[in-house]
Amino acid sequence: MQPPLHSEVDNEEESQPSPFAQINEPESTETAQQLEERETATEELATNPFERAIVVASGDTLSTLFAKVGLSSQDVHAVLDSGKGAKQFSRLNVGQTLNFTLTPEGKLATLSTQVSPLETIKLSLVNDRYSFESEQIKPNVHQRYARGVIDSSLFLAADRAGLPHSMTFDLANVFAYDIDFAMDIRKGDEFEVIYEDKLVEGKRVGTGQILAARFTNRGKTYTAVRYVDKQGGASYYTAQGESMRKAFIRTPVDFARISSRFSNGRKHPILNKIRAHKGVDYAAPRGTPIKAAGDGKVVLAGRKGGYGNTIVLQHGNRYRTLYAHMQGFAKGVKTGGSVKQGQVIGYIGTTGLSTGPHLHYEFQVNGVHVDPLSQKLPMADPIAGKEKQRFLQLSAPLMAKMDQERTTALAMNTETAPKL
């Protein structure tokens, strides 16, 4: 076992008289009780475990970290085999700190590490067995307002407004039924968001839900308010209580580029002849997730001629969607199964007759192919009548707060604008 960097036990000699001290040095003034207390404290120090903090470096594994404090591979196995939770210690990140306490005999007494700003995990030796515990810190949740105007992209505008990327995706998902973020976004579009900000000791450790939002696209403004009903179900509604959720989302790939539109007379890039293109192609990097446009039954999850890896979903009696050229299917998606709207069903690829990674997406109504970009989507039910009043009591203050924050933000921008 590697000795500790510092031990007060080793320094006990320093309290003894120096051999060079003069004979007339005054004797110790400690009483018998004080001497006994000091000796007792020294004995307790001698039995305390040694503490070591090791920072994970590039290339480190749990075995190499254990070796740095004098623990063997058998100790590693004992820890990992002690329970399901203990396996979290093997998921390491560079810069992470592992705190070890060892007994004087070199045995692991405790092991702890912070796995996130809100969670610390610890393993303790109790009666020759390791006991796992997770300590969760409850953050303070505050409402925060953000506003942005799109100049080149939603992501850049959101970043300037202080929104993390994950929140930007959430914002796009809230309005995904009304706005096609691959095609509809224009310079000058703007958004406003009231969202949950999670803080620990004044420091941001994450974000929660979008509570309310407004998005102005091509001069038309859409509103959204998050509402949790009495049964615990959460969904987004307009400020008046109409459902934001339609039967289908506008596009099954987030922020992809439309590379080919629906057409009855397109020249096929591989077959080199005029052939109807009965869908829309979304170009995106290989491996980009593809989402189900609506709840449905998986009619096919397999190969389909020139379509390559293909999924076909049946949505009730009238609607059917097709997703082709996929790299692969998401785990659990198979013929005969069912999927939920927004669920990842596969990943962008270039299988079949394809010149590059993209999704070929088709939409059928009563067996007839239609343009999914122009198809009017069926609406979902509005908020239940018995909960309408409760919803409005939540919605009205949020929209008022958004109006107030907007007015303040615009006034501040006016004050700081250069005078002509």
Side-chain angles (χ1 to χ4, degrees):
M1 183 192 75
Q2 188 173 347
L5 297 178
H6 177 74
S7 170
E8 295 186 26
V9 177
D10 296 335
N11 292 338
E12 186 178 343
E13 294 179 358
E14 297 177 6
S15 65
Q16 303 300 321
S18 166
F20 300 101
Q22 295 183 8
I23 296 176
N24 62 357
E25 183 176 353
E27 295 182 358
S28 172
T29 58
E30 282 186 317
T31 65
Q33 182 179 353
Q34 290 174 325
L35 180 61
E36 183 179 353
E37 289 175 351
R38 183 169 64 82
E39 290 175 347
T40 300
T42 302
E43 290 174 1
E44 289 176 351
L45 264 174
T47 57
N48 278 348
F50 302 142
E51 298 183 357
R52 296 289 304 277
I54 305 296
V55 179
V56 179
S58 179
D60 269 337
T61 64
L62 198 59
S63 295
T64 62
L65 297 175
F66 270 50
K68 289 178 181 180
V69 297
L71 296 171
S72 67
S73 58
Q74 286 79 11
D75 294 316
V76 176
H77 290 301
V79 165
L80 296 179
D81 293 341
S82 64
K84 184 177 180 181
K87 290 180 171 55
Q88 294 183 59
F89 283 101
S90 63
R91 297 193 282 270
L92 302 171
N93 296 304
V94 173
Q96 180 181 350
T97 300
L98 268 65
N99 300 295
F100 295 82
T101 57
L102 309 176
T103 65
E105 295 76 29
K107 194 170 184 178
L108 180 65
T110 66
L111 172 64
S112 66
T113 187
Q114 187 176 19
V115 294
S116 78
L118 298 178
E119 182 183 11
T120 297
I121 57 176
K122 184 177 182 179
L123 211 61
S124 302
L125 186 63
V126 180
N127 297 328
D128 292 327
R129 297 189 64 178
Y130 288 110
S131 174
F132 176 83
E133 60 182 311
S134 172
E135 180 183 353
Q136 300 280 346
I137 299 175
K138 189 174 181 179
N140 294 315
V141 179
H142 298 270
Q143 291 185 9
R144 190 175 294 272
Y145 170 84
R147 174 181 176 270
V149 178
I150 297 173
D151 183 37
S152 56
S153 76
L154 174 61
F155 272 107
L156 288 176
D159 187 59
R160 287 195 300 268
L163 290 179
H165 276 196
S166 59
M167 185 66 67
T168 308
F169 276 105
D170 291 342
L171 177 64
N173 285 331
V174 168
F175 294 102
Y177 306 100
D178 294 300
I179 302 171
D180 186 337
F181 284 88
M183 185 179 72
D184 291 344
I185 298 301
R186 293 291 185 272
K187 182 177 181 179
D189 288 354
E190 62 178 280
F191 60 86
E192 297 171 80
V193 189
I194 294 177
Y195 64 97
E196 295 175 327
D197 207 19
K198 297 181 178 180
L199 306 175
V200 172
E201 297 180 352
K203 183 179 180 181
R204 174 188 275 184
V205 295
T207 54
Q209 302 291 340
I210 290 177
L211 302 178
R214 258 197 307 240
F215 205 109
T216 300
N217 171 240
R218 296 185 174 189
K220 183 176 181 180
T221 299
Y222 303 89
T223 61
V225 177
R226 186 175 188 268
Y227 179 69
V228 180
D229 60 30
K230 294 178 180 179
Q231 286 71 45
S235 191
Y236 286 94
Y237 299 86
T238 68
Q240 293 73 39
E242 297 296 325
S243 178
M244 295 291 294
R245 186 181 188 275
K246 279 74 174 177
F248 298 94
I249 56 178
R250 280 284 175 194
T251 174
V253 184
D254 287 329
F255 308 110
R257 175 179 59 86
I258 295 176
S259 56
S260 185
R261 296 174 180 271
F262 186 94
S263 170
N264 287 319
R266 186 195 69 154
K267 189 174 183 179
H268 195 281
I270 293 180
L271 300 178
N272 200 30
K273 61 181 181 181
I274 300 299
R275 187 175 183 178
H277 189 243
K278 298 182 178 181
V280 175
D281 290 349
Y282 291 94
R286 192 187 306 270
T288 300
I290 299 167
K291 300 182 293 185
D295 294 353
K297 181 179 180 181
V298 183
V299 177
L300 170 70
R303 297 286 296 193
K304 185 177 172 63
Y307 285 112
N309 290 332
T310 302
I311 285 179
V312 178
L313 302 180
Q314 184 71 40
H315 313 276
N317 295 324
R318 297 188 61 202
Y319 303 99
R320 177 175 285 203
T321 55
L322 177 145
Y323 314 77
H325 304 310
M326 302 167 78
Q327 174 179 293
F329 311 127
K331 185 177 180 181
V333 177
K334 57 185 179 180
T335 301
S338 60
V339 296
K340 291 292 185 181
Q341 185 180 67
Q343 177 181 335
V344 174
I345 57 175
Y347 306 92
I348 292 284
T350 184
T351 57
L353 294 177
S354 171
T355 57
H358 73 282
L359 168 69
H360 174 76
Y361 174 58
E362 295 182 3
F363 196 102
Q364 294 182 28
V365 181
N366 294 326
V368 178
H369 287 85
V370 299
D371 184 354
L373 298 179
S374 61
Q375 178 68 18
K376 186 176 176 64
L377 302 181
M379 298 290 291
D381 294 331
I383 198 165
K386 61 183 179 181
E387 299 209 28
K388 185 70 175 284
Q389 188 60 37
R390 181 168 175 256
F391 168 79
L392 292 175
Q393 290 173 351
L394 169 73
S395 172
L398 284 170
M399 300 310 293
K401 177 179 175 66
M402 195 175 295
D403 289 337
Q404 181 182 5
E405 293 280 5
R406 176 186 173 85
T407 300
T408 302
L410 290 175
M412 290 180 62
N413 289 340
T414 302
E415 290 175 4
T416 56
K419 299 189 184 300
L420 299 176

